[in-house]
Amino acid sequence: MELQHLKIAVVGTGAVGASVSADLVRAGLDVALIDQWPAHVEAMRANGLTVDTLGDVQVTEVRAHHLCEVAELREPFDIVFTGVKTYDTRWVAELMRPLLRPDSVFVGLQNGMTIDQSAEIVGSDRTIGCAMGIAANMPEPGLIRRQVRPADTWFAIGTLSGEHTQRLDEVAAVLACAARIDVTDDIRSAKWMKLIANIPEMLPSALLGVPLLEAATMPGVRPVMDAMSREAYALAIDLGITMRPSLGIAAADMPTDDQYALDLLDRVLSHFSQPDTRVAVLQDWEKGRRGELDAFSGYIVDKRAELGGRAPVNEAVLRLAERVERGELVPAPENSALLIAALDATA
């Protein structure tokens, strides 16, 4: 498929957005990088975008724009990818909507269930969802440390309707420059699989202030993670979500009960984590930024409440994370006692 004619924008070129952008640019595609961190944009302009993938360092010249410069852009984009935080999805969709053609698409390279927010702004027919298996961080402006090679990175993409469209094929071909691609007719369920995998890792390891692999092996922590996983799995079943192969787990290897939720976490730990991999919420806290609490346990707590029930372990862990956001608690290994107490209190 000839892709060089496509005009592509990536809005939010943090760890994931920049990793993907660099791959697309090196493949010869027309890509505009747009970011809200001025120092990052200036670093990319001055020195290119540096991506260190497990010791393989590549510097790519990119076309980087400050967020304020979007108003100066005139030619529409065929594909807009966004890698911003979940809480920034709505305004970014509004920002880019004037630069979309009727047949353009808006693709969320994000955790969480942002497909509905995007669809409300740009329309469901122009929304493509993506579930991702990737790990990366940005220690300083212009530098990305990617911890999963493109050949081992996994993306599932699909339209909200499940329809297979020409634009979907183009998005698949574009993203194939950065990852292995599965095209799905049920992107909501595919994103739920990633959500179930994210729930046990994200807030617990952030609260502990340590890399994910270290957090998962701390005494008493894995049972907390597993309880959170099971609550997320039960909610998905009650919402009518179909359990699907995900993160490289084959259909033949999928359990028919909530053991699958635990298997998804095991897959993240074994295939998408390095000894220094730190979850997104912890990276945000370490930079003094707000975490995506609403995208993870907050989402589970709210959705369960809509059904008239509670997800008590996720709720207890969420309350601890909210204390960090208020400055009442500092991420530290000693918080394992609070996590264990949260589980004990719901037993």
Side-chain angles (χ1 to χ4, degrees):
M1 182 181 295
E2 193 67 34
L3 303 176
Q4 277 68 27
H5 69 284
L6 295 173
K7 288 191 64 64
I8 301 167
V10 181
V11 187
T13 55
V16 171
S19 297
V20 171
S21 296
D23 288 337
L24 304 192
V25 172
R26 286 197 298 272
L29 303 185
D30 182 354
V31 184
L33 283 69
I34 301 167
D35 200 78
Q36 61 265 53
W37 189 10
H40 183 42
V41 173
E42 291 304 319
M44 289 190 290
R45 285 177 168 178
N47 305 309
L49 174 59
T50 300
V51 180
D52 180 348
T53 305
L54 301 176
D56 178 15
V57 179
Q58 292 183 308
V59 180
T60 305
E61 291 188 12
V62 297
R63 191 168 75 255
H65 298 275
H66 289 288
L67 195 67
C68 61
E69 294 173 333
V70 171
E72 301 170 11
L73 302 177
R74 292 292 182 268
E75 190 173 351
F77 294 99
D78 300 296
I79 301 172
V80 174
F81 295 106
T82 183
V84 299
K85 298 299 178 182
T86 55
Y87 50 69
D88 287 330
T89 301
R90 289 183 182 278
W91 69 259
V92 167
E94 287 283 13
L95 176 74
M96 299 306 294
R97 188 159 59 99
L99 292 169
L100 298 178
R101 298 188 180 93
D103 65 342
S104 299
V105 288
F106 189 86
V107 187
L109 302 178
Q110 302 164 288
N111 288 310
M113 302 300 289
T114 56
I115 48 177
D116 294 319
Q117 299 171 37
S118 300
E120 288 176 14
I121 305 300
V122 304
S124 59
D125 58 326
R126 295 197 293 189
T127 297
I128 290 179
C130 180
M132 305 181 297
I134 187 173
N137 60 70
M138 184 165 63
E140 61 186 66
L143 173 62
I144 306 301
R145 298 198 187 281
R146 182 168 176 173
Q147 297 176 308
V148 182
R149 294 183 177 87
D152 299 319
T153 301
W154 170 86
F155 291 163
I157 63 170
T159 61
L160 272 176
S161 67
E163 182 183 1
H164 200 113
T165 64
Q166 179 180 337
R167 279 289 189 228
L168 181 61
D169 285 338
E170 290 173 339
V171 171
V174 167
L175 289 178
C177 300
R180 293 181 292 111
I181 306 300
D182 286 341
V183 176
T184 176
D185 60 0
D186 187 357
I187 189 58
R188 188 177 301 278
S189 290
K191 285 187 72 65
W192 256 98
M193 299 306 98
K194 182 63 191 306
L195 178 61
I196 291 171
N198 281 152
I199 288 301
E201 59 163 310
M202 198 62 67
L203 298 193
S205 64
L207 284 162
L208 295 171
V210 299
L212 175 57
L213 288 176
E214 182 179 345
T217 57
M218 291 178 66
V221 171
R222 183 60 193 260
V224 180
M225 293 179 166
D226 289 349
M228 297 172 72
S229 296
R230 290 190 169 101
E231 287 182 352
Y233 181 97
L235 175 61
I237 293 297
D238 289 348
L239 290 172
I241 298 300
T242 301
M243 295 296 143
R244 302 179 65 91
S246 185
L247 298 174
I249 298 176
D253 297 325
M254 290 175 54
T256 57
D257 56 17
D258 62 11
Q259 176 62 41
Y260 187 45
L262 280 56
D263 291 350
L264 287 170
L265 175 57
D266 286 337
R267 186 74 177 184
V268 169
L269 297 175
S270 63
H271 286 72
F272 298 98
S273 303
Q274 297 295 326
D276 61 342
T277 298
R278 303 169 91 79
V279 297
V281 170
L282 179 56
Q283 292 184 50
D284 288 334
W285 284 348
E286 289 176 335
K287 291 182 174 73
R289 298 173 179 171
R290 230 174 354 125
E292 299 169 287
L293 307 191
D294 58 331
F296 303 113
S297 290
Y299 187 83
I300 300 301
V301 170
D302 289 346
K303 283 296 180 182
R304 177 53 78 184
E306 289 177 12
L307 299 183
R310 292 182 60 205
V313 184
N314 277 278
E315 183 177 343
V317 174
L318 175 63
R319 300 298 169 240
L320 293 174
E322 289 171 345
R323 290 178 59 190
V324 174
E325 297 267 304
R326 294 194 297 267
E328 300 170 1
L329 189 66
V330 175
E334 293 74 23
N335 291 337
S336 62
L338 297 176
L339 288 171
I340 294 168
L343 177 60
D344 291 343
T346 62

Short mmCIF file of all heavy atoms in Angstrom, two decimals, residues 36-70:
data_model
loop_
_atom_site.label_atom_id
_atom_site.label_comp_id
_atom_site.label_asym_id
_atom_site.label_seq_id
_atom_site.Cartn_x
_atom_site.Cartn_y
_atom_site.Cartn_z
N GLN A 36 2.81 19.85 23.62
CA GLN A 36 2.51 20.98 24.50
C GLN A 36 3.66 21.34 25.44
O GLN A 36 3.55 22.27 26.22
CB GLN A 36 1.24 20.70 25.31
CG GLN A 36 1.30 19.49 26.25
CD GLN A 36 0.74 18.24 25.63
OE1 GLN A 36 1.14 17.84 24.53
NE2 GLN A 36 -0.19 17.58 26.32
N TRP A 37 4.77 20.58 25.39
CA TRP A 37 5.92 20.87 26.25
C TRP A 37 6.94 21.66 25.43
O TRP A 37 7.63 21.09 24.57
CB TRP A 37 6.53 19.57 26.76
CG TRP A 37 7.59 19.73 27.81
CD1 TRP A 37 7.92 20.88 28.48
CD2 TRP A 37 8.47 18.72 28.31
NE1 TRP A 37 8.94 20.65 29.35
CE2 TRP A 37 9.31 19.35 29.28
CE3 TRP A 37 8.64 17.37 28.03
CZ2 TRP A 37 10.28 18.64 29.96
CZ3 TRP A 37 9.62 16.67 28.71
CH2 TRP A 37 10.42 17.29 29.67
N PRO A 38 7.05 22.95 25.64
CA PRO A 38 7.93 23.77 24.80
C PRO A 38 9.37 23.27 24.74
O PRO A 38 9.98 23.27 23.67
CB PRO A 38 7.84 25.16 25.46
CG PRO A 38 6.49 25.18 26.11
CD PRO A 38 6.29 23.77 26.62
N ALA A 39 9.92 22.86 25.88
CA ALA A 39 11.32 22.41 25.90
C ALA A 39 11.52 21.17 25.02
O ALA A 39 12.57 21.01 24.38
CB ALA A 39 11.75 22.11 27.33
N HIS A 40 10.53 20.29 24.98
CA HIS A 40 10.61 19.09 24.16
C HIS A 40 10.60 19.45 22.68
O HIS A 40 11.41 18.91 21.89
CB HIS A 40 9.43 18.18 24.51
CG HIS A 40 9.41 16.86 23.81
ND1 HIS A 40 10.54 16.09 23.61
CD2 HIS A 40 8.37 16.16 23.25
CE1 HIS A 40 10.21 14.98 22.98
NE2 HIS A 40 8.91 15.01 22.74
N VAL A 41 9.72 20.35 22.29
CA VAL A 41 9.67 20.79 20.89
C VAL A 41 10.98 21.42 20.48
O VAL A 41 11.54 21.12 19.41
CB VAL A 41 8.49 21.76 20.66
CG1 VAL A 41 8.54 22.34 19.25
CG2 VAL A 41 7.16 21.04 20.90
N GLU A 42 11.51 22.30 21.32
CA GLU A 42 12.76 22.98 20.98
C GLU A 42 13.92 21.99 20.90
O GLU A 42 14.82 22.13 20.05
CB GLU A 42 13.04 24.08 21.99
CG GLU A 42 12.09 25.26 21.90
CD GLU A 42 12.05 25.89 20.51
OE1 GLU A 42 13.13 26.03 19.87
OE2 GLU A 42 10.94 26.21 20.03
N ALA A 43 13.94 20.99 21.80
CA ALA A 43 15.01 19.99 21.76
C ALA A 43 14.94 19.18 20.47
O ALA A 43 15.98 18.89 19.85
CB ALA A 43 14.89 19.06 22.97
N MET A 44 13.73 18.81 20.04
CA MET A 44 13.59 18.06 18.79
C MET A 44 14.01 18.90 17.59
O MET A 44 14.63 18.39 16.65
CB MET A 44 12.15 17.56 18.64
CG MET A 44 11.76 16.45 19.60
SD MET A 44 10.17 15.68 19.21
CE MET A 44 9.02 17.01 19.64
N ARG A 45 13.68 20.17 17.62
CA ARG A 45 14.07 21.04 16.52
C ARG A 45 15.59 21.22 16.44
O ARG A 45 16.17 21.24 15.36
CB ARG A 45 13.40 22.40 16.69
CG ARG A 45 11.92 22.42 16.35
CD ARG A 45 11.31 23.79 16.62
NE ARG A 45 9.96 23.89 16.05
CZ ARG A 45 9.18 24.96 16.17
NH1 ARG A 45 9.60 26.02 16.86
NH2 ARG A 45 7.99 24.98 15.62
N ALA A 46 16.21 21.32 17.60
CA ALA A 46 17.65 21.60 17.63
C ALA A 46 18.49 20.35 17.38
O ALA A 46 19.51 20.42 16.67
CB ALA A 46 18.02 22.22 18.97
N ASN A 47 18.05 19.23 17.94
CA ASN A 47 18.92 18.05 17.95
C ASN A 47 18.27 16.80 17.36
O ASN A 47 18.89 15.73 17.37
CB ASN A 47 19.35 17.74 19.39
CG ASN A 47 20.00 18.91 20.07
OD1 ASN A 47 20.93 19.51 19.52
ND2 ASN A 47 19.51 19.27 21.25
N GLY A 48 17.05 16.91 16.86
CA GLY A 48 16.33 15.73 16.40
C GLY A 48 15.73 14.98 17.57
O GLY A 48 15.89 15.35 18.73
N LEU A 49 15.02 13.92 17.25
CA LEU A 49 14.38 13.09 18.27
C LEU A 49 15.24 11.85 18.48
O LEU A 49 15.46 11.07 17.55
CB LEU A 49 12.97 12.69 17.80
CG LEU A 49 12.20 11.70 18.67
CD1 LEU A 49 12.02 12.22 20.08
CD2 LEU A 49 10.85 11.38 18.03
N THR A 50 15.71 11.66 19.70
CA THR A 50 16.55 10.52 20.04
C THR A 50 15.71 9.43 20.69
O THR A 50 15.03 9.69 21.70
CB THR A 50 17.68 10.92 21.00
OG1 THR A 50 18.50 11.92 20.37
CG2 THR A 50 18.56 9.72 21.34
N VAL A 51 15.74 8.24 20.12
CA VAL A 51 15.03 7.09 20.70
C VAL A 51 16.06 6.00 20.98
O VAL A 51 16.72 5.51 20.07
CB VAL A 51 13.93 6.55 19.75
CG1 VAL A 51 13.22 5.36 20.38
CG2 VAL A 51 12.93 7.65 19.43
N ASP A 52 16.17 5.66 22.25
CA ASP A 52 17.08 4.61 22.70
C ASP A 52 16.24 3.36 22.99
O ASP A 52 15.52 3.30 23.99
CB ASP A 52 17.81 5.07 23.97
CG ASP A 52 18.78 4.02 24.51
OD1 ASP A 52 18.73 2.86 24.06
OD2 ASP A 52 19.56 4.36 25.42
N THR A 53 16.31 2.39 22.09
CA THR A 53 15.54 1.16 22.25
C THR A 53 16.47 0.05 22.71
O THR A 53 17.19 -0.56 21.91
CB THR A 53 14.86 0.75 20.93
OG1 THR A 53 14.07 1.84 20.45
CG2 THR A 53 13.96 -0.47 21.14
N LEU A 54 16.52 -0.14 24.00
CA LEU A 54 17.33 -1.20 24.60
C LEU A 54 18.78 -1.13 24.10
O LEU A 54 19.39 -2.14 23.74
CB LEU A 54 16.72 -2.57 24.29
CG LEU A 54 15.28 -2.78 24.79
CD1 LEU A 54 14.75 -4.13 24.35
CD2 LEU A 54 15.21 -2.64 26.30
N GLY A 55 19.31 0.08 24.08
CA GLY A 55 20.70 0.28 23.68
C GLY A 55 20.90 0.62 22.22
O GLY A 55 21.99 1.06 21.83
N ASP A 56 19.89 0.44 21.40
CA ASP A 56 19.96 0.83 19.98
C ASP A 56 19.48 2.27 19.86
O ASP A 56 18.28 2.54 19.93
CB ASP A 56 19.09 -0.10 19.13
CG ASP A 56 19.09 0.27 17.65
OD1 ASP A 56 19.96 1.06 17.24
OD2 ASP A 56 18.21 -0.22 16.92
N VAL A 57 20.42 3.20 19.71
CA VAL A 57 20.10 4.62 19.72
C VAL A 57 20.00 5.14 18.29
O VAL A 57 20.92 4.98 17.49
CB VAL A 57 21.17 5.42 20.49
CG1 VAL A 57 20.84 6.91 20.48
CG2 VAL A 57 21.29 4.91 21.92
N GLN A 58 18.86 5.76 17.99
CA GLN A 58 18.65 6.36 16.68
C GLN A 58 18.19 7.80 16.85
O GLN A 58 17.31 8.07 17.68
CB GLN A 58 17.61 5.57 15.88
CG GLN A 58 18.07 4.17 15.47
CD GLN A 58 17.04 3.46 14.62
OE1 GLN A 58 15.88 3.36 14.98
NE2 GLN A 58 17.48 2.95 13.47
N VAL A 59 18.78 8.69 16.09
CA VAL A 59 18.39 10.09 16.09
C VAL A 59 17.69 10.41 14.78
O VAL A 59 18.24 10.16 13.70
CB VAL A 59 19.62 11.01 16.27
CG1 VAL A 59 19.18 12.48 16.27
CG2 VAL A 59 20.35 10.67 17.57
N THR A 60 16.48 10.92 14.86
CA THR A 60 15.65 11.17 13.69
C THR A 60 15.31 12.64 13.57
O THR A 60 14.85 13.25 14.55
CB THR A 60 14.34 10.36 13.78
OG1 THR A 60 14.64 8.98 13.98
CG2 THR A 60 13.51 10.52 12.52
N GLU A 61 15.56 13.23 12.42
CA GLU A 61 15.13 14.61 12.19
C GLU A 61 13.62 14.61 11.99
O GLU A 61 13.09 13.85 11.17
CB GLU A 61 15.83 15.19 10.96
CG GLU A 61 17.32 15.42 11.15
CD GLU A 61 17.93 16.17 9.98
OE1 GLU A 61 17.17 16.70 9.14
OE2 GLU A 61 19.17 16.22 9.91
N VAL A 62 12.94 15.47 12.74
CA VAL A 62 11.49 15.51 12.68
C VAL A 62 11.00 16.94 12.50
O VAL A 62 11.73 17.90 12.74
CB VAL A 62 10.86 14.92 13.97
CG1 VAL A 62 11.22 13.44 14.12
CG2 VAL A 62 11.28 15.70 15.22
N ARG A 63 9.76 17.07 12.08
CA ARG A 63 9.10 18.37 11.94
C ARG A 63 8.22 18.57 13.17
O ARG A 63 7.13 18.00 13.28
CB ARG A 63 8.27 18.40 10.65
CG ARG A 63 7.76 19.78 10.28
CD ARG A 63 7.19 19.81 8.88
NE ARG A 63 5.89 19.19 8.76
CZ ARG A 63 5.66 18.00 8.21
NH1 ARG A 63 6.67 17.27 7.76
NH2 ARG A 63 4.44 17.52 8.12
N ALA A 64 8.71 19.37 14.10
CA ALA A 64 8.03 19.51 15.39
C ALA A 64 7.36 20.88 15.50
O ALA A 64 7.93 21.90 15.10
CB ALA A 64 9.03 19.33 16.52
N HIS A 65 6.14 20.88 16.06
CA HIS A 65 5.36 22.10 16.22
C HIS A 65 4.97 22.29 17.68
O HIS A 65 4.61 21.34 18.37
CB HIS A 65 4.07 22.04 15.39
CG HIS A 65 4.28 21.93 13.92
ND1 HIS A 65 4.49 23.02 13.11
CD2 HIS A 65 4.31 20.84 13.11
CE1 HIS A 65 4.63 22.61 11.85
NE2 HIS A 65 4.53 21.29 11.83
N HIS A 66 5.01 23.55 18.11
CA HIS A 66 4.42 23.88 19.40
C HIS A 66 2.90 23.82 19.29
O HIS A 66 2.34 24.04 18.20
CB HIS A 66 4.83 25.30 19.82
CG HIS A 66 6.27 25.42 20.20
ND1 HIS A 66 6.77 24.91 21.37
CD2 HIS A 66 7.32 26.01 19.55
CE1 HIS A 66 8.07 25.17 21.45
NE2 HIS A 66 8.43 25.83 20.36
N LEU A 67 2.25 23.56 20.39
CA LEU A 67 0.79 23.46 20.40
C LEU A 67 0.15 24.72 19.84
O LEU A 67 -0.84 24.65 19.08
CB LEU A 67 0.32 23.21 21.83
CG LEU A 67 -1.11 22.72 22.01
CD1 LEU A 67 -1.27 21.32 21.43
CD2 LEU A 67 -1.48 22.72 23.49
N CYS A 68 0.70 25.88 20.18
CA CYS A 68 0.10 27.14 19.73
C CYS A 68 0.18 27.31 18.22
O CYS A 68 -0.57 28.10 17.63
CB CYS A 68 0.77 28.32 20.42
SG CYS A 68 2.55 28.46 20.10
N GLU A 69 1.07 26.55 17.57
CA GLU A 69 1.24 26.68 16.13
C GLU A 69 0.20 25.91 15.33
O GLU A 69 0.14 26.05 14.10
CB GLU A 69 2.65 26.22 15.73
CG GLU A 69 3.74 27.13 16.28
CD GLU A 69 5.14 26.61 16.04
OE1 GLU A 69 5.32 25.38 15.92
OE2 GLU A 69 6.07 27.44 15.97
N VAL A 70 -0.63 25.12 16.01
CA VAL A 70 -1.70 24.40 15.31
C VAL A 70 -2.61 25.39 14.59
O VAL A 70 -3.10 25.13 13.48
CB VAL A 70 -2.50 23.52 16.28
CG1 VAL A 70 -3.75 22.95 15.62
CG2 VAL A 70 -1.62 22.38 16.80
#
